[in-house]
Amino acid sequence: MLDIPNEHKCSANSPQQVSQQQSELCVTMDHECGCGDSVEKPPPFLPQPKDGYPLKPEHTMGPVGPWATGSVTCSREDGITGLRPVADRYSITRHGPSEWRAHNSSVFQQSNERICNSQVTTADAKQCVDQAFAAANKVQPETTDLLKTRANVVYHWKAKLEHTINAIAEEMELLEADRRRVQRSLSVLIIPISIASDFLQLRSARLDADLVRDNVEEQLTKEIALCSEIRELLDRKRGEIETQIIELRSMKVRAENDWSDKIHSYNIDSVCANLSNSSPLLLWKPGATRFPADQSTPTSYEDFTREVLTDCESARQRSIILRTTLYDVYAKSIKDLRDQAIRVDIALAENVKLTQDCLQQLEQELLRCLNELASKEKLIEELRDTSKGLNNAMKLAQTRLDNRLNRQNVESCRDMPQLGLVEEVKLLGEHTSGMLAELKHSEESQAELVKARGTLEHEIMVKRKTLYIDKDRGQLLRSFFPSNTELSGF
């Protein structure tokens, strides 16, 4: 509220009262100067009734002398004013008595008018001061209320911006944690790829027939392809996260700039709302009522702030959707990796079991082959001994026949002994030939058994090599496969 000075605290007069006071003053002045209808005689220093025309001189005087009356002076503006000044040797006469009294009357009239005007001006000034202070006392609280309302509006938007900035900061922390998680996952995913690649390299050292593209190799190839696809997917997600972090950072800077402006504006409006007429540091500020060209309107102000809040919230929602998508990718990828790792382990275990069964069967077959080879060697020895026995019998029969060929004359008879010996030689020859054939077949069979033994021993060596690769090296290598927690980047 404005403080009205003491000299202005009197009640203001209305224009009618001022006019009435002026009229009374003028009437009083008229009475005093003899211009009214009063019967009193006017003072001698004011115009008299006889001053209308100059009096005729009682004594006739010449035109020149100390008592010269001069001549009547008449002008268009003043009418008859008196006598024309006359100069003689004693003095210079400029005006007559009537002119002197008329001059006095004009002085009083002018002073009265100026006093009346001054009283009217004083009344108008008091009224203007009262109106000004009343208007100021009415407008100033309204302006203060408007400033407080505006400060509350600015504080409301400032609080919303603070909430948005805090939400964006939290989202950036979560997104940064997810980025580090993806980075760790990309590093961890190198391990299964290395395990599968090393295992494939080891399995390429298998020998001969075991160097086959079996189910284990197919599953390992699928595992490498799956790990590569997941790494590419996570790498794309990392790029999207980094782009989203940049967008969130720019939105945060934009909101912080607006928030800083609103803090500055709120502090200014708070100071302005708390100022009063008795506050210190109140100074004249010429040009403070100007409107800057870049000044906004309340509508554009709210639209700008709402746009900032909307853009920040949109960026935050996109970040949330990105993180949700990343979680889904992790859940599906880890499940696929674990399922594929299980399939590889199952295929490897089946292959190891199959190889072990084959190796066991080969060892049994080798044992049977060795037993058969020993039997065959024994048979060959028996056939050779039997062949030697038949040779002696053949020699005996042939010796007998040869001795009987030495009989002479009639004694050289084709008797029954002769026929029996011939039959014996024939029979022994047939049996010897058969035994030799069997010996040859046995020796050939023995050679085949030796080859079979070599083949079996080679196959056993191959299977043991395969078992060493798949079981001793492969399963040990597969035991270092990362866990789900490590694959998740934790």
Side-chain angles (χ1 to χ4, degrees), residues 23-254:
S23 300
E24 291 176 356
L25 290 173
C26 293
V27 170
T28 304
M29 194 64 196
D30 290 341
H31 285 200
E32 291 177 355
C33 59
C35 296
D37 296 336
S38 175
V39 295
E40 295 181 358
K41 186 178 179 179
F45 54 83
L46 293 179
Q48 301 296 320
K50 61 182 180 180
D51 290 338
Y53 294 94
L55 296 177
K56 294 181 178 181
E58 296 178 358
H59 302 281
T60 303
M61 296 181 63
V64 178
W67 306 105
T69 58
S71 60
V72 178
T73 300
C74 180
S75 65
R76 185 175 58 185
E77 292 83 4
D78 299 331
I80 298 175
T81 59
L83 299 177
R84 180 175 298 173
V86 177
D88 59 16
R89 64 178 180 175
Y90 299 105
S91 64
I92 296 176
T93 302
R94 293 184 179 276
H95 303 285
S98 61
E99 290 178 334
W100 177 75
R101 287 188 294 268
H103 173 72
N104 292 337
S105 177
S106 65
V107 169
F108 284 115
Q109 183 71 24
Q110 183 179 7
S111 175
N112 185 37
E113 290 178 357
R114 291 180 178 178
I115 290 172
C116 291
N117 292 333
S118 175
Q119 290 176 350
V120 172
T121 304
T122 301
D124 291 341
K126 289 182 179 180
Q127 183 180 5
C128 180
V129 168
D130 293 339
Q131 291 177 355
F133 276 90
N137 291 333
K138 178 182 179 182
V139 171
Q140 194 177 79
E142 294 177 355
T143 308
T144 303
D145 293 338
L146 291 175
L147 284 172
K148 291 180 179 180
T149 303
R150 182 59 182 175
N152 292 331
V153 171
V154 174
Y155 182 82
H156 168 72
W157 291 115
K158 180 180 73 70
K160 281 193 172 184
L161 284 171
E162 286 179 355
H163 178 72
T164 301
I165 291 170
N166 294 331
I168 289 179
E170 293 176 0
E171 185 63 27
M172 287 178 64
E173 291 179 358
L174 294 175
L175 209 58
E176 182 65 26
D178 287 339
R179 188 188 69 82
R180 292 193 297 268
R181 177 186 178 188
V182 171
Q183 188 66 37
R184 287 193 295 268
S185 296
L186 290 173
S187 301
V188 172
L189 278 174
I190 298 176
I191 298 176
I193 295 177
S194 300
I195 289 174
S197 300
D198 293 344
F199 196 12
L200 285 175
Q201 188 66 28
L202 284 173
R203 297 190 92 242
S204 65
R206 291 175 297 171
L207 302 175
D208 299 341
D210 279 6
L211 190 62
V212 62
R213 185 176 179 85
D214 53 4
N215 190 27
V216 177
E217 187 169 347
E218 292 179 357
Q219 297 300 330
L220 285 172
T221 305
K222 290 180 181 179
E223 187 177 56
I224 292 175
L226 180 61
C227 290
S228 300
E229 291 177 0
I230 293 175
R231 288 193 82 251
E232 292 176 359
L233 179 60
L234 290 179
D235 190 56
R236 289 198 301 271
K237 289 298 177 183
R238 182 182 61 179
E240 294 177 3
I241 288 174
E242 292 174 351
T243 303
Q244 189 63 40
I245 288 176
I246 294 174
E247 181 182 3
L248 287 176
R249 188 177 292 115
S250 64
M251 288 294 104
K252 184 171 179 289
V253 170
R254 181 179 174 187

Side-chain angles (χ1 to χ4, degrees), residues 55 101 110 139 167 220 225 233 264 279 286 354 365 381 423 438 445:
L55 296 177
R101 287 188 294 268
Q110 183 179 7
V139 171
L220 285 172
L233 179 60
H264 186 256
S279 299
L354 184 61
E365 188 67 19
E381 291 295 329
E423 187 66 26
E438 291 296 331
S445 178

Side-chain angles (χ1 to χ4, degrees), residues 16 24 30 40 89 108 115 140 156 194 229 249 260 269 271 275 284 317 375 378 404 448 461:
Q16 293 80 4
E24 291 176 356
D30 290 341
E40 295 181 358
R89 64 178 180 175
F108 284 115
I115 290 172
Q140 194 177 79
H156 168 72
S194 300
E229 291 177 0
R249 188 177 292 115
S260 177
D269 288 343
V271 170
L275 288 176
W284 293 105
Q317 291 298 326
S375 300
K378 185 179 179 181
R404 294 196 68 190
E448 294 295 330
M461 184 268 294

Side-chain angles (χ1 to χ4, degrees), residues 402-444:
D402 184 71
N403 289 334
R404 294 196 68 190
L405 287 176
N406 292 325
R407 291 179 301 171
Q408 296 179 359
N409 301 323
V410 74
E411 290 300 326
S412 180
C413 179
R414 191 179 297 172
D415 51 5
M416 292 301 295
Q418 181 72 24
L419 294 175
L421 288 172
V422 172
E423 187 66 26
E424 181 181 3
V425 169
K426 181 181 178 182
L427 181 63
L428 288 175
E430 291 175 358
H431 285 293
T432 299
S433 298
M435 290 182 65
L436 290 175
E438 291 296 331
L439 178 61
K440 183 179 179 181
H441 291 161
S442 296
E443 289 175 349
E444 291 176 354

